Amino acid sequence: MLSLSVLSLYLAALVAVYVLPGPDMAMVIATSASRGVKTGLRTAIGIAASRFLHVMMSGLGLAALLATHPLLFDAVRWVGAVYLLWLAWKVVRTKPAETTANNAPETHGSAIARGFLTNLLNPKALMFCALFLPQFVSPAHGAVLPQFVLLGVILVAVGFCFDTAYAFAAGGLARRLKGRRSMAKLQKGLLGSVFVVMAGRLMMG
């Protein structure tokens, strides 16, 4: 079983990772600011589900498969980039009035799916799990699989807590600024820009 010192170090490392600005943080913040806290939280649920799947895939060796097959890695990367650009196009073509939290035309499931697919199609997120988790797993602490599962659950839970905090913070700020002129355009531009930047990062490798 993992010692308390190892778990404490692991938690500290996770906090440091999630505090730093990243694609997931940017997506949750932009979504909450443009479409409301509830939509931001649904996006966070999708991201959390994808993180859990990444943990499982890294444990099954799929991350190693991507690392040893650059063409497969690039294929996943480009599919993810195209998907993000498609999301940006959808945001841009949506009328400003439709991007508000009260009038968002999307279903509950679409926000979850967007968060899930955006994170899932980022091979760098999978590689992060594959490189990060094994550093805290050791046969000296007992069976490896239970350690891996425990660390994976903690990774997902801590990430979801941070994403939830970001969603409420961004949504609260957006509500304060709601009455200002051109706020709807700013919200739409923010969300679309986040998708484009995330796509650019994936395309650059």
Side-chain angles (χ1 to χ4, degrees), residues 149-175:
V149 172
L150 175 61
L151 294 176
V153 169
I154 293 174
L155 181 148
V156 173
V158 172
F160 182 71
C161 288
F162 271 90
D163 288 341
T164 298
Y166 296 141
F168 277 106
L173 180 61
R175 282 195 299 271

Side-chain angles (χ1 to χ4, degrees), residues 7-60:
L7 287 175
S8 299
L9 179 61
Y10 180 68
L11 282 172
L14 281 180
V15 169
V17 169
Y18 286 125
V19 165
L20 293 174
D24 295 335
M25 178 198 294
M27 184 176 181
V28 171
I29 290 176
T31 301
S32 300
S34 61
R35 298 186 176 178
V37 174
K38 290 183 179 180
T39 304
L41 290 176
R42 294 182 193 115
T43 302
I45 291 173
I47 292 173
S50 178
R51 284 178 183 146
F52 183 77
L53 187 56
H54 277 158
V55 169
M56 294 299 100
M57 288 193 296
S58 62
L60 293 172

Side-chain angles (χ1 to χ4, degrees), residues 13-202:
L14 281 180
V15 169
V17 169
Y18 286 125
V19 165
L20 293 174
D24 295 335
M25 178 198 294
M27 184 176 181
V28 171
I29 290 176
T31 301
S32 300
S34 61
R35 298 186 176 178
V37 174
K38 290 183 179 180
T39 304
L41 290 176
R42 294 182 193 115
T43 302
I45 291 173
I47 292 173
S50 178
R51 284 178 183 146
F52 183 77
L53 187 56
H54 277 158
V55 169
M56 294 299 100
M57 288 193 296
S58 62
L60 293 172
L62 293 183
L65 181 65
L66 288 179
T68 55
H69 293 76
L71 289 179
L72 181 59
F73 182 91
D74 287 339
V76 175
R77 182 167 58 87
W78 280 98
V79 169
V82 170
Y83 175 69
L84 288 167
L85 290 175
W86 177 71
L87 289 178
W89 178 75
K90 283 186 65 178
V91 170
V92 169
R93 68 188 291 268
T94 301
K95 296 179 180 179
E98 295 177 340
T99 62
T100 62
N102 295 328
N103 298 310
E106 65 182 2
T107 63
H108 297 349
S110 62
I112 295 175
R114 184 172 59 245
F116 179 81
L117 290 174
T118 299
N119 188 269
L120 182 67
L121 294 174
N122 181 1
K124 296 179 180 179
L126 174 59
M127 298 303 294
F128 167 77
C129 289
L131 296 173
F132 183 72
L133 288 176
Q135 298 181 48
F136 298 90
V137 174
S138 172
H141 297 142
V144 171
L145 182 58
Q147 295 179 54
F148 205 90
V149 172
L150 175 61
L151 294 176
V153 169
I154 293 174
L155 181 148
V156 173
V158 172
F160 182 71
C161 288
F162 271 90
D163 288 341
T164 298
Y166 296 141
F168 277 106
L173 180 61
R175 282 195 299 271
R176 294 189 187 95
L177 301 175
K178 189 175 181 180
R180 298 191 179 185
R181 185 177 295 181
S182 74
M183 185 58 190
K185 291 183 179 180
L186 178 62
Q187 290 173 330
K188 185 174 75 169
L190 174 64
L191 186 58
S193 298
V194 165
F195 289 140
V196 170
V197 171
M198 290 171 66
R201 287 177 53 133
L202 279 181

